[in-house]
Amino acid sequence: MPGPIQTVAETLNSQIPLEGFLIVAAVMFAIGAWGAVIRRNAVVVFMCVEIMINAVNLTLVAFADFLPDAGGIGASYAALIIAIAAAEVAVGLAIVLAIFRSRRTVNIDEVNSMRG
Amino acid sequence: MTIIFGFLAGMMLVSALGVVLSRNVVHSALFMSGSFLAVVGFFVMLSAPALAAFQLLIYVGAVSVVILFGIMFTQSPQVRSFSTIVNKQVWAGLAVALGVGGFLSYILATEDWGATEAGQGTRDVAAFGEYLLGVGPDSEIFAMLFQLVAILLFVAVIAAIVISRRKDTDIESASDVRDVGE
C-alpha cells in the first residue's frame, strides 16, 4: 500500500495521455478563432490566425508521436505547414500594408470594398 | 511530466488569451511570441526536437519580427479602451468559440485512438531530414510536396514584393493627403 506522497509522485511522473495534448490544442484553436472573429485590427487578426495554425500543428505532432503507424512522418508535414504559414504571413502583411497605404486604416470593419 | 505539461499549457493558453484581449497591439505581438514558445516546449515533449528548432527560428524569431514591423508601419501608438478594439460580435463570437472548442475537445477525448503510446516519433534528426526530402521509408510523397512548398514560397515572396511595392501614384496621393492635413 503506497503512501500518499508516493501516489502524488507517481501521478506527477506519469506520462501525459494523447488526449491531454489534443484538448490543449483544441482550446488554443478556439481562442484563436474567437480573436479572429472579434478583433477590429487586421494585424491582430493575423496573429490569431497564426495561433490557430500553431494549434493544428501541435495536434499533428501529437498524433505523429502517439500513433504507432504514423512513424514520425507527421513531424515532416508540420514542417511543411510552418513553411506555408510563413508564406501566408508575408503575403498577408503585404496586403495589410497596401490597404493601409490607400485607406489610412487597418480597421477591417471600415475596409468593406474590394475597390482599390 | 505533469508539472511541465501544466506549465506549458497554462503559458500557452494565457498568452493566447492575452493576444485576443490585450488593448495594446505590441503587447499582443509579445503575447503571441510567448504562446509560440510554449508550443516549442510541447514539440520537445513530443520528441520532435528538430521541429522545435524550426518553430523557434521561424515563429519566435522571424514571424514575430515581421508582425512587429507591420505594427510599426500601420499603428498609431495610443492605448484604446476595450470597447473600441473589438466589434459587436464579442459575445456571439465567444459563444461560437466555446462551442467549437467544446465540440472539438469532446470529439477528440471520446474517440478511440487505438493503441497510443508516447515516444513513437523520431527523435533522430537525420531520419527527420530523410522523411522531409522523400528518401525515407514510406515518405515518397514528400519528394513532390517539398518542391511544391519551395515553389509556393518563391511565388509568395514575389507576390509580397509586388503587392507592397510603392507606386508613383501612391506617393503623389500620400503627399496630397499630407498637404490637406496641413
Side-chain angles (χ1 to χ4, degrees), chain B residues 21-49:
Chain B
L21 299 177
S22 170
R23 279 187 305 226
N24 193 329
V25 188
V26 180
H27 292 176
S28 284
L30 295 178
F31 274 124
M32 188 188 67
S33 299
S35 186
F36 291 164
L37 266 180
V39 175
V40 171
F42 275 125
F43 283 174
V44 173
M45 275 181 81
L46 289 167
S47 67

Side-chain angles (χ1 to χ4, degrees), chain A residues 11-16 18-35 37-41 43-44 46-48 50-51 53-54 57-58 61-69 71-73 75-87 89-91 93-98 100-101 104 106 109, chain B residues 1-3 5 9 12-13 16-17 19-22 25 28-29 32 35-36 39 42-43 45-48 51 55 58-59 63 66-67 71 73-75 83-87 89-90 93-94 97 101 104-105 108-109 113 115-121 128 131-132 137-139 141-142 145 149 152-153 156 160 163-166 170:
Chain A
T11 313
L12 288 183
N13 283 323
S14 64
Q15 196 63 242
I16 308 291
L18 172 63
E19 284 80 6
F21 293 100
L22 295 182
I23 288 175
V24 167
V27 174
M28 190 182 179
F29 184 89
I31 293 174
W34 186 38
V37 170
I38 69 167
R39 288 300 295 249
R40 285 197 163 124
N41 193 320
V43 181
V44 181
F46 261 107
M47 296 183 206
C48 294
E50 290 302 311
I51 284 178
I53 292 174
N54 265 278
N57 242 344
L58 181 56
V61 176
F63 276 134
D65 192 42
F66 276 86
L67 294 185
D69 288 339
I73 298 187
S76 305
Y77 280 111
L80 298 185
I81 292 178
I82 288 178
I84 292 170
V89 168
V91 176
L93 275 177
I95 292 173
V96 170
L97 281 183
F100 179 74
R101 200 174 293 141
R104 300 278 132 196
V106 288
D109 285 352
Chain B
M1 282 300 254
T2 312
I3 296 173
F5 181 84
M12 193 167 92
L13 299 181
L17 276 178
V19 174
V20 177
L21 299 177
S22 170
V25 188
S28 284
M32 188 188 67
S35 186
F36 291 164
V39 175
F42 275 125
F43 283 174
M45 275 181 81
L46 289 167
S47 67
L51 200 61
Q55 171 91 3
I58 296 176
Y59 272 113
V63 169
V66 168
I67 284 185
I71 292 170
F73 283 128
T74 58
Q75 304 296 318
S83 58
T84 60
I85 63 164
V86 298
N87 55 24
Q89 297 124 10
V90 53
L94 179 61
L104 278 179
S105 302
L108 291 171
W113 297 113
T116 58
E117 195 189 346
Q120 309 211 32
F128 176 73
Y131 284 138
L132 195 55
D138 293 333
S139 68
I141 185 72
F142 278 94
L145 293 181
V149 170
L152 179 93
L153 275 175
I163 292 172
S164 64
R165 198 163 54 103
R166 190 179 283 271
D170 281 348

